Amino acid sequence: MASVSTGAPERAAPDVLRDAVAEASREALTGPGTGRRLLRGAARLAVAAGRRTVAVAVLAALWEALPRLGVLDPTFLSPLSEVLAAWRDLLLSGELLDHTQASLARALAGFALAIVLAIPLGLLIGWYEPLADLLNPVLELFRNTAALALLPVFVLVLGLGETSKISIILYACAWPILLNTIAGVKGVDPLLVKSARSMGLGPLRLFQKVILPAAVPTVFTGVRLGGAYSILVLVAAEMVGAKAGLGYLINYAQFNFRVPEMYAGILTISVLGLLFNQLLVRLERRFSTWRTS
């Protein structure tokens, strides 16, 4: 005779577990200690943000106060408020935007060409010893030659146009990217290579699955250095024969003794370099998601 169940039907184990997790989540969000936890989290964020901005705030306060108090000559170092006013006027007139666009076009063109050329070459030099032995004397010769020392050569050979400016930025950016890529490939743990080979990986798969991922952090270090060099060399390149660009703006303002505008251009260059670096940091995190924090 079949037994008849008089109670409620039993619930499946996954349903019970899911309800328990949901109940625990509700208690965590609405429990009596939730407000305190949120306040502590907000306080930690505020303290971290304050630590990151306090040095900038002190620098800004000194920049404003020292010329006003006569400690520094305001003729040669304008107060920050006057610099910001000049920056606003340049922005509203559209002049700052035109110069920034010209500078970014040159910097990004040279930087992109450096990445396209230097990373594959660095991977080849780091991976193939015969190629490294062949090119090492040339690399040692040119790596110790400052890019700005060659600026007159680039101008003489390529002229005063855009080609010479982009080429000198390419030259300056290529070396940190190339050298760090070579170091990243050569610095891969030999045990990883031996383990991969023992598992039957061929040269192509070994390079794709082991060498390249392990070299990514060092490669991106070179890319970030190259990004910084693209901004630094850009200013010098635009001071020779340019008719637009932030370097031209700084040079023109200095010759005409428009000191606040000169500092406005310098401030813009600094902010662009900071934003460029932050973008590269985010890209590095995107391509290095496999790494443990």
Side-chain angles (χ1 to χ4, degrees), residues 73-78 82-83 86 248-264:
D73 191 346
T75 305
F76 304 109
L77 180 63
S78 303
E82 295 183 8
V83 173
Y248 166 79
L249 172 64
I250 295 170
N251 200 37
Y252 178 81
Q254 185 252 336
F255 275 128
N256 290 276
F257 216 71
R258 295 158 64 175
V259 178
E261 292 186 8
M262 181 189 72
Y263 283 109

Side-chain angles (χ1 to χ4, degrees), residues 130-206:
L131 185 60
D133 295 336
L134 176 65
L135 296 180
N136 188 62
V138 178
L139 296 180
E140 290 298 326
L141 174 64
F142 282 99
R143 67 180 293 185
N144 296 307
T145 304
L148 294 181
L150 294 176
L151 179 58
V153 179
F154 279 89
V155 172
L156 286 175
V157 174
L158 301 175
L160 292 172
E162 296 298 312
T163 304
S164 62
K165 295 174 178 55
I166 295 175
S167 298
I168 191 67
I169 294 171
L170 163 63
Y171 179 86
C173 296
W175 288 108
I177 299 174
L178 177 66
L179 297 176
N180 277 274
T181 302
I182 296 172
V185 174
K186 289 187 175 182
V188 177
D189 190 349
L191 292 178
L192 290 177
V193 179
K194 291 180 181 179
S195 300
R197 284 175 175 165
S198 66
M199 296 173 63
L201 289 182
L204 184 60
R205 297 287 291 175
L206 174 65

